[in-house]
Amino acid sequence: MRVRFADQVAALLDAAVGSGARHVTLLSAYGADRAPSVIDLAAVEKLVAELGVTHTILRPAWVMQNFTDEHLPLIGDTLIVPSGGGAEAFVDADDIAAVAVRTLLEPAAHDGARYRLTGPSTLTFKEVAGIVAEVSGRPVTYVDVDQQAWIDGAVAAGVPADYAVMLQWLTGTIINGDGARPTGDVERVLGRPATDFATFARRNATAWTH
């Protein structure tokens, strides 16, 4: 987990272009242009834009898969993450991958595009917990925890201390009411609707039942 990575990405990009790459699709983050300067998201986007080859930048919202892996695990039957009641247009990582593939197969058609990839609707974490409860049969509830306490707990559990600024930014956007809103970019690129969270949850119900 890094917040400073522009130098490493620059070296990778130079090597790729030097080896003949003529298109780059960058996985960035929703709101990267508003991220704190200590996080290298905007700097890396600038590197890609100035490479001299066709390029596409993907800025996804929080991915749905965060709820099925170690990022946002259930603690007992409780989902614990700071949100201040804010909402997010969670996006399926499979949709992100499908958009990325399309940009790589049709680079000229997506040259210079900055796609903000979201799901089809916004959800609060309480609503997410309700959907998880429905598909899993567990009495899942949501607890809105203090942001700093949550970050301190993550660092105590092994998350690098310098990554705390990233956690603060990511959760802060939702707490401040600036979470991702549906954009329709997934549908515009793929020609089909973005996956909704209920569909994703049914597809991955076993993640919460074993």
Side-chain angles (χ1 to χ4, degrees):
M1 297 181 178
R2 294 176 179 268
V3 294
R4 289 296 192 187
F5 43 84
D7 289 347
Q8 292 90 340
V9 173
L12 174 64
L13 292 172
D14 287 345
V17 173
S19 297
R22 291 296 172 261
H23 178 85
V24 171
T25 292
L26 172 71
L27 181 62
S28 186
Y30 193 97
D33 52 326
R34 302 187 303 275
S37 59
V38 70
I39 303 173
D40 277 346
L41 290 171
V44 168
E45 288 191 3
K46 187 173 186 289
L47 287 172
V48 170
E50 295 176 348
L51 266 180
V53 299
T54 60
H55 67 279
T56 308
I57 293 174
L58 307 183
R59 293 174 171 173
W62 284 42
V63 298
M64 297 177 183
Q65 280 76 2
N66 283 344
F67 296 99
T68 58
D69 60 24
E70 69 276 7
H71 288 89
L72 296 173
L74 294 180
I75 308 300
D77 290 319
T78 306
L79 175 63
I80 304 173
V81 58
S83 73
E88 175 79 358
F90 302 100
V91 63
D92 187 349
D94 287 356
D95 286 349
I96 301 172
V99 169
V101 168
R102 186 66 60 87
T103 67
L104 293 169
L105 292 175
E106 303 169 355
H110 303 282
D111 181 28
R114 285 171 168 78
Y115 293 123
R116 296 179 299 151
L117 305 181
T118 70
S121 61
T122 57
L123 292 171
T124 64
F125 284 90
K126 183 177 180 179
E127 290 170 327
V128 166
I131 294 171
V132 172
E134 181 179 353
V135 302
S136 67
R138 294 171 61 177
V140 177
T141 58
Y142 168 64
V143 171
D144 191 354
V145 68
D146 176 77
Q147 183 191 39
Q148 192 58 53
W150 185 77
I151 292 171
D152 290 345
V155 172
V159 172
D162 61 355
Y163 197 73
V165 65
M166 179 73 84
L167 296 178
Q168 185 174 37
W169 173 60
L170 291 172
T171 54
T173 57
I174 297 177
I175 293 169
N176 296 329
D178 295 325
R181 296 293 182 267
T183 64
D185 281 358
V186 169
E187 185 169 4
R188 276 188 282 274
V189 174
L190 299 180
R192 61 158 177 82
T195 305
D196 63 88
F197 192 85
T199 298
F200 166 82
R202 288 192 294 269
R203 193 178 77 217
N204 292 277
T206 56
W208 303 291
T209 57
H210 61 249

